[in-house]
Amino acid sequence: MHALVTGGAGFIGSHLCDRLLSMGYRVTAIDNLHLGKMQNIAHLASNSAFAFQLIDMLDAEAMEALFKTDRPDCVFHLAANSDIAAGNDDASLDLKLNQLTTTTLLDIMRRHDVKRLFFASTSAVFGEADGRIHEDFGPLQPISFYGASKLAAEAYLSVYAHSFGIRTLVLRFPNVIGERSTHGAIYDFIRKLKDDPTRLPVLGNGRQTKPYLYVGDLVDAILFAWDRSEGNYAVFHAAGIGETSVRDMAEIVVSKVSPAATIEYGSSDRGWLGDVPRFSYDTGRLEQLGWVPKRTSTEAVEYAVERILTNGF
Ligand SMILES: NC(=O)c1ccc[n+]([C@@H]2O[C@H](COP(=O)([O-])OP(=O)(O)OC[C@H]3O[C@@H](n4cnc5c(N)ncnc54)[C@H](O)[C@@H]3O)[C@@H](O)[C@H]2O)c1
């Protein structure tokens, strides 16, 4: 199998490349290095089953040339703007990097008869939904351009799946953590404590409570669903078990990085515009297929912090 991984130099994409290669796939990764880093894939440079191309997915000609010469059997589409706050500052960012990358890709897959696709979606499509969010929850009312653009991308995926036969797996996951991440609370906390080991200012009151998933466990979930999902268009959720508050996360990071630091909380119930203060995620559909989350959300936080402190970002 020859897989194309878009966003392959990014946080999750580079971990997915590692795993696909270890499973015997030939992998082509593309990335425009918007947030991705060559150092995430530097260890793969000598692997003859791996190739990287610096391509902006909005460059339809470059994408066309890639599909003509590289002829992938399947695509794992992870390229996106993953920074929700940056997307709210510039509404064109999510439109271009999340929605238009997807429609450009779908059009080229259709013309080149590539029939299998994975799409990295997000819990942000649900906005501030109350209660436990299951896979068929609705109405979907995103509160960030990021969530809106991913939802729009899902709508296009549905059309290409149902009308043009591109078999599509959509996995909606919440906060993913681990080494090679480019942003997020753990990243932010460790950076701040390295800069000033005496204090940790936290965005918001720290009572935001969400499920976290370690990146390696997410890759397990992607490939588990990839092997077992049926039908032309399948939507699944993946998350760690339970939720973790930002306060718990701050205490875990402080205890491991700088135990004497004072944690200073803000007053808002959210860290930034588009932040969802509290949600709980139902992963029942994937569990019905036999998937078992490896860690609780809080175990994932502890594990990710240890991995980052050992291996660096
Ligand atoms: N990290 C999370 O918590 C999380 C949660 C839910 C969904 N996701 C989704 O998972 C995917 C991977 O996220 P991540 O955390 O690894 O983020 P990331 O920013 O590390 O990876 C995204 C990659 O896409 C690349 N990219 C962006 N625009 C591109 C373009 N036009 N052409 C080519 N490459 C482009 C970036 O340079 C980056 O390397 C994204 O689709 C994201 O929306 C992430």
Side-chain angles (χ1 to χ4, degrees):
M1 253 331 215
H2 177 198
L4 173 66
V5 178
T6 78
F11 164 42
I12 300 169
S14 61
H15 284 276
L16 180 62
C17 289
D18 289 347
R19 188 71 63 82
L20 289 171
L21 288 163
S22 75
M23 290 166 65
Y25 277 75
R26 185 156 79 83
V27 174
T28 299
I30 60 170
D31 205 295
N32 68 349
L33 304 181
H34 169 68
L35 286 178
K37 293 184 202 133
M38 288 308 289
Q39 79 188 49
N40 288 344
I41 49 171
H43 60 286
L44 300 177
S46 59
N47 188 329
S48 60
F50 179 76
F52 173 76
Q53 292 201 36
L54 180 63
I55 288 183
D56 187 329
M57 291 185 72
L58 299 176
D59 181 344
E61 267 178 38
M63 289 293 287
E64 182 69 34
L66 172 77
F67 271 72
K68 238 184 219 156
T69 55
D70 215 51
R71 307 182 61 79
D73 302 307
C74 57
V75 181
F76 291 82
H77 177 35
L78 290 94
N81 165 50
S82 57
D83 185 339
I84 298 180
N88 281 336
D89 288 343
D90 172 4
S92 71
L93 200 58
D94 292 311
L95 173 68
K96 288 181 191 154
L97 304 196
N98 300 356
Q99 194 176 329
L100 293 182
T101 57
T102 306
T103 52
T104 305
L105 173 68
L106 285 166
D107 181 49
I108 288 177
M109 287 181 69
R110 178 187 172 192
R111 283 188 288 101
H112 286 265
D113 208 28
V114 179
K115 294 284 193 203
R116 266 212 95 182
L117 174 64
F118 165 81
F119 180 66
S121 194
T122 165
S123 54
V125 297
F126 296 108
E128 290 191 63
D130 271 341
R132 206 162 162 73
I133 308 172
H134 58 79
E135 291 82 352
D136 294 325
F137 179 93
L140 293 111
Q141 297 178 348
I143 60 163
S144 60
F145 293 124
Y146 173 77
S149 61
K150 286 282 186 174
L151 183 55
E154 284 192 19
Y156 280 92
L157 293 165
S158 168
V159 176
Y160 278 86
H162 290 110
S163 297
F164 302 111
I166 297 181
R167 194 175 148 207
T168 300
L169 166 66
V170 175
L171 194 68
R172 295 175 179 150
F173 39 93
N175 314 275
V176 183
I177 50 181
E179 58 276 32
R180 304 183 200 159
S181 56
T182 50
H183 55 275
I186 292 181
Y187 177 88
D188 191 36
F189 292 168
I190 294 176
R191 284 274 147 122
K192 282 177 175 163
L193 285 171
K194 297 263 180 209
D195 284 349
D196 181 354
T198 65
R199 55 186 283 268
L200 175 61
V202 173
L203 297 176
N205 62 15
R207 301 200 187 280
Q208 307 99 300
T209 303
K210 307 165 195 190
Y212 292 87
L213 183 63
Y214 176 65
V215 63
D217 300 342
L218 170 69
V219 171
D220 287 346
I222 293 172
L223 294 170
F224 186 92
W226 182 254
D227 283 344
R228 290 166 184 80
S229 69
E230 289 177 353
N232 251 13
Y233 189 70
V235 178
F236 291 94
H237 287 180
I241 304 160
E243 295 93 36
T244 308
S245 72
V246 171
R247 281 181 184 245
D248 287 343
M249 185 184 284
E251 280 165 22
I252 290 167
V253 175
V254 163
S255 73
K256 292 182 193 290
V257 179
S258 181
T262 312
I263 306 176
E264 299 165 7
Y265 294 102
S267 55
S268 167
D269 69 345
R270 61 196 70 208
W272 65 89
L273 192 69
D275 185 19
V276 177
R278 178 171 290 269
F279 70 94
S280 152
Y281 218 48
D282 190 315
T283 56
R285 190 175 286 166
L286 201 51
E287 287 172 48
Q288 270 170 18
L289 289 186
W291 180 68
V292 185
K294 213 184 253 168
R295 289 167 241 268
T296 66
S297 169
T298 304
E299 284 167 353
V301 169
E302 282 167 347
Y303 187 64
V305 174
E306 277 161 23
R307 297 280 300 181
I308 292 167
L309 293 178
T310 309
N311 302 323
F313 283 112

